[in-house]
Amino acid sequence: MISIDCELAGVPLSNPILAASGTFGFGKPYADLYPLRKLGGIVSKGLTLTPRLGNTGTRIYETPSCIMNSIGLENPGIRAFLEHELSDMTSHGTAVIVNLGGGTVREYAEGAELLTEAGRKLRSAGKRAVDMIELNISCPNIKEGGLAFGIENEQAREVVRAVRNATTLPLLVKLSPGAKDLREMARMCEAEGADGLSLINTIQAMAIDIRERRSVFDRAYAGLSGPAIKPIALRMVHQVARSVSIPVVGIGGICSAEDILEFIMAGAAAVQIGTYNFINLRAGDTLAEELIQLMENEGIQSLDDIRGII
Amino acid sequence: MALVIQNVRLAHRIYRLTVQGSYSARMGQFFMLRCWDAYPVLSRPISVHNLTEDSVSFLYRVQGTGTWLLSALQAGDKIQLEGPFGQGFPKPQGRTALVGGGIGVAPLLLAAKEIPEASVYLGYAGVPFGVNGFHEISRDVTVKSGGTIVDAVDPSRYDTIFACGPVGMMHSLAQKAEGTNAKLHVSIEKRMGCGIGACNSCTLTAAGSNRKACTDGPVFLAKEVNWNDLHRL
């Protein structure tokens, strides 16, 4: 009997397939299309302490087998999320992970405190709350903070430490492919108490409108994602998984059960589906079943049997 | 997957695609269409042009790779449709006009079917297309080729106006409607990622705050739209 149940940083998941931040809202838009309990979990749209309107100008653009986005962390803020979105997000019978963004170390820490405190109250009232925080130090699309924290080790250390001190929730740190030394940063996050790592965030990229003689995006650069970045993400997951002993969540252009097995073989404990949610709005509906079918075809009984075998 | 019944070229770069199936959609709503695998990455949001008991049709202009692939479809081919999505045109009040510019005439045929007494204004830069369908429904159809159709519309004659077309056309109609009693609703086209409100790619400013073209729109009250934002895109 093939089973794909798993556990991530102490949180049980019905399968290793999570919906990636920024591609799934807070779950609601997809809930009309299929039962979200078919996913192992949902990672929220990136949330900041205070609301953000996001970036001006073009926000999405296509390149071969990729998209570029410059949303700029548009979000209602953590308080509004807790008040208006969380109860719906926890109603789908799947794990709830909040992606936490920020501009300053203090903002990140205050956000983590709010989420933790709200969780404490909800749990003591017997209600479901946020299961995990994914610390986003790698958003390439905001001016202050974001990616800046994900490049330099010492800046990353400061924010990871502050958030670790601010929360008792399991903590994933989402790494940037732009980090100066990715393996070193991964080891630093582990040393600072991260319960897991997720990677990669989008790759900073550029597109030019030759007729207008300007960058397509107001902020010049934007984040690249989609099938074409999968080999890069796979290499980075492989490198990081061999450098740390905490679980690693693979993200980057995953579009099939085959892709999922590649990431597991590279060492991932779980995966996140991002751009593929746009290619196939019902992506999460069948992926877990396709994964089981593929494992059966390949004679794989358990993900543990193949995890990190490469 | 749905079956293509017909994909007819109506004019240069303009096609009408008819797909088999029983669909329900309100005027001004759209579907996300794709007839390819992973490239291009995104599906294409196309408004509903017409509905029958067993088909839905879309009028579209070949603009890039996605619509070029759509244009190659033939009867018997398969296509994927998700929808209908978005808030369409609201229920009109009083005397109504439908104003379309270029490919913006697309969603107005369904509106004309629902409001057969509406005056229809269709403007084209070149050779008109898709006009016959309107003539079959409405006795009051004005067609203009060249110039701007806005010149032919007197907003003070109407209580409700639905418009779809280039940003410049809709903006000048909005300016012309200022100070009249006409309530102008415009259908806004934006690049979309998901079409269902998850990705925040199609944000625009309306009524002073962020709105999503996919789920809050694509139809907005013209007086609430920040036109300066839209002109830049």
Side-chain angles (χ1 to χ4, degrees):
Chain A
M1 181 65 183
I2 293 169
S3 165
I4 53 172
D5 291 7
C6 54
E7 187 195 281
L8 180 62
V11 176
L13 306 176
S14 61
N15 66 63
I17 302 160
L18 311 171
S21 180
T23 65
F24 220 71
F26 301 115
K28 210 184 303 181
Y30 291 88
D32 291 339
L33 299 173
Y34 64 93
L36 301 188
R37 61 180 159 69
K38 291 196 169 190
L39 289 163
I42 305 168
V43 188
S44 78
K45 167 75 191 153
L47 286 163
T48 48
L49 187 62
T50 51
R52 289 182 63 93
L53 289 174
N55 291 339
T56 57
T58 298
R59 287 184 167 195
I60 195 163
Y61 188 77
E62 282 181 283
T63 59
S65 297
C66 273
I67 54 172
M68 299 171 72
N69 88 78
S70 181
I71 310 297
L73 278 179
E74 177 183 347
N75 79 93
I78 290 170
R79 287 182 182 85
F81 165 77
L82 290 170
E83 194 176 339
H84 303 298
E85 306 287 350
L86 180 60
S87 67
D88 181 76
M89 203 177 167
T90 54
S91 70
H92 302 296
T94 190
V96 169
I97 302 169
V98 161
N99 181 283
L100 175 64
T104 64
V105 172
R106 187 186 166 84
E107 195 186 332
Y108 274 109
E110 279 185 40
E113 275 169 19
L114 271 181
L115 292 168
T116 312
E117 185 52 31
R120 206 174 281 137
K121 281 182 188 160
L122 286 167
R123 285 196 184 82
S124 66
K127 292 179 180 168
R128 288 201 62 173
V130 173
D131 294 303
M132 195 183 304
I133 290 176
E134 180 180 67
L135 179 60
N136 181 1
I137 54 169
S138 43
C139 174
N141 294 328
I142 62 170
K143 194 175 174 184
E144 71 287 359
L147 181 61
F149 286 105
I151 300 291
E152 301 278 355
N153 261 351
E154 284 315 305
Q155 279 183 273
R157 185 192 303 279
E158 201 183 344
V159 70
V160 174
R161 185 175 287 174
V163 170
R164 177 72 289 171
N165 289 334
T167 186
T168 50
L169 287 167
L171 181 64
L172 288 182
V173 181
K174 187 167 182 176
L175 302 179
S176 166
K180 280 191 175 157
D181 185 335
L182 192 61
R183 280 172 284 197
E184 194 50 45
M185 180 162 287
R187 284 191 283 265
M188 178 279 292
C189 290
E190 183 177 25
E192 291 295 336
D195 299 295
L197 303 168
S198 54
L199 66 151
I200 58 176
N201 205 322
T202 55
I203 299 172
Q204 205 172 29
M206 185 177 193
I208 291 171
D209 183 331
I210 56 168
R211 286 169 194 89
E212 296 291 329
R213 271 81 160 160
R214 65 185 289 267
S215 169
V216 164
F217 295 97
D218 278 5
R219 292 185 34 71
Y221 309 138
L224 186 77
S225 66
I229 73 162
K230 195 199 79 181
I232 300 170
L234 193 63
R235 185 262 295 175
M236 290 181 164
V237 165
H238 184 250
Q239 288 179 322
V240 167
R242 290 151 62 101
S243 306
V244 295
S245 53
I246 51 178
V248 171
V249 179
I251 318 166
I254 296 170
C255 294
S256 65
E258 283 82 358
D259 290 346
I260 295 170
L261 278 193
E262 282 195 64
F263 274 84
I264 303 286
M265 287 184 185
V271 296
Q272 291 183 16
I273 306 297
T275 303
Y276 187 53
N277 289 312
F278 303 159
I279 294 173
N280 174 6
L281 292 177
R282 297 165 200 272
D285 193 20
T286 52
L287 269 178
E289 290 155 40
E290 286 163 14
L291 179 62
I292 291 172
Q293 187 62 55
L294 179 62
M295 288 168 68
E296 197 174 314
N297 294 348
E298 292 296 322
I300 301 165
Q301 284 301 307
S302 154
L303 294 173
D304 292 337
D305 294 344
I306 54 153
R307 185 171 292 111
I309 59 168
I310 308 297
Chain B
M1 296 291 264
L3 200 64
V4 172
I5 299 173
Q6 195 186 49
N7 193 27
V8 198
R9 182 181 179 276
L10 299 183
H12 177 58
R13 289 167 63 201
I14 305 291
Y15 291 77
R16 186 181 59 226
L17 171 71
T18 307
V19 178
Q20 192 176 64
S22 177
Y23 295 91
S24 62
R26 297 193 306 276
M27 52 181 175
Q29 286 191 301
F30 65 92
F31 281 77
M32 297 296 281
L33 269 55
R34 70 188 296 135
C35 60
W36 52 87
D37 189 17
Y39 174 71
V41 173
L42 302 174
S43 303
R44 295 296 186 262
I46 312 277
S47 63
V48 176
H49 179 56
N50 200 2
L51 277 175
T52 68
E53 272 181 15
D54 53 10
S55 74
V56 56
S57 64
F58 304 92
L59 194 67
Y60 62 96
R61 181 176 60 201
V62 174
Q63 192 81 15
T65 310
T67 42
W68 178 75
L69 289 168
L70 287 178
S71 74
L73 285 170
Q74 295 181 357
D77 287 345
K78 297 278 178 60
I79 183 168
Q80 195 178 316
L81 266 65
E82 288 280 5
F85 296 134
Q87 309 296 320
F89 292 110
K91 199 173 159 49
Q93 306 286 328
R95 291 164 304 169
T96 302
L98 310 176
V99 184
I103 195 61
V105 305
L108 298 183
L109 186 69
L110 196 60
K113 281 177 84 172
E114 290 197 26
I115 324 157
E117 67 280 11
S119 305
V120 179
Y121 298 88
L122 308 172
Y124 301 88
V127 180
F129 54 83
V131 175
N132 288 350
F134 289 96
H135 280 304
E136 286 167 15
I137 298 162
S138 174
R139 282 188 296 176
D140 182 10
V141 181
T142 305
V143 180
K144 192 172 181 192
S145 184
T148 170
I149 191 66
V150 176
D151 290 345
V153 184
D154 177 2
S156 65
R157 289 181 53 210
Y158 301 101
D159 303 294
T160 304
I161 304 174
F162 296 159
C164 184
V167 169
M169 180 210 97
M170 292 193 291
H171 188 191
S172 69
L173 185 60
Q175 288 168 325
K176 200 169 176 181
E178 270 174 31
T180 72
N181 289 326
K183 204 174 243 187
L184 172 62
H185 301 267
V186 291
S187 180
I188 305 282
E189 186 180 43
K190 292 275 291 185
R191 288 176 190 273
M192 287 182 191
C194 61
I196 58 172
C199 71
N200 291 4
S201 298
C202 61
T203 301
L204 64 145
T205 316
S209 62
N210 279 5
R211 292 280 190 276
K212 294 169 187 173
C214 64
T215 50
D216 297 318
V219 175
F220 294 90
L221 256 181
K223 65 179 182 186
E224 294 184 345
V225 168
N226 182 334
W227 292 100
N228 289 336
D229 270 8
L230 293 175
H231 276 295
R232 293 181 54 247
L233 300 176

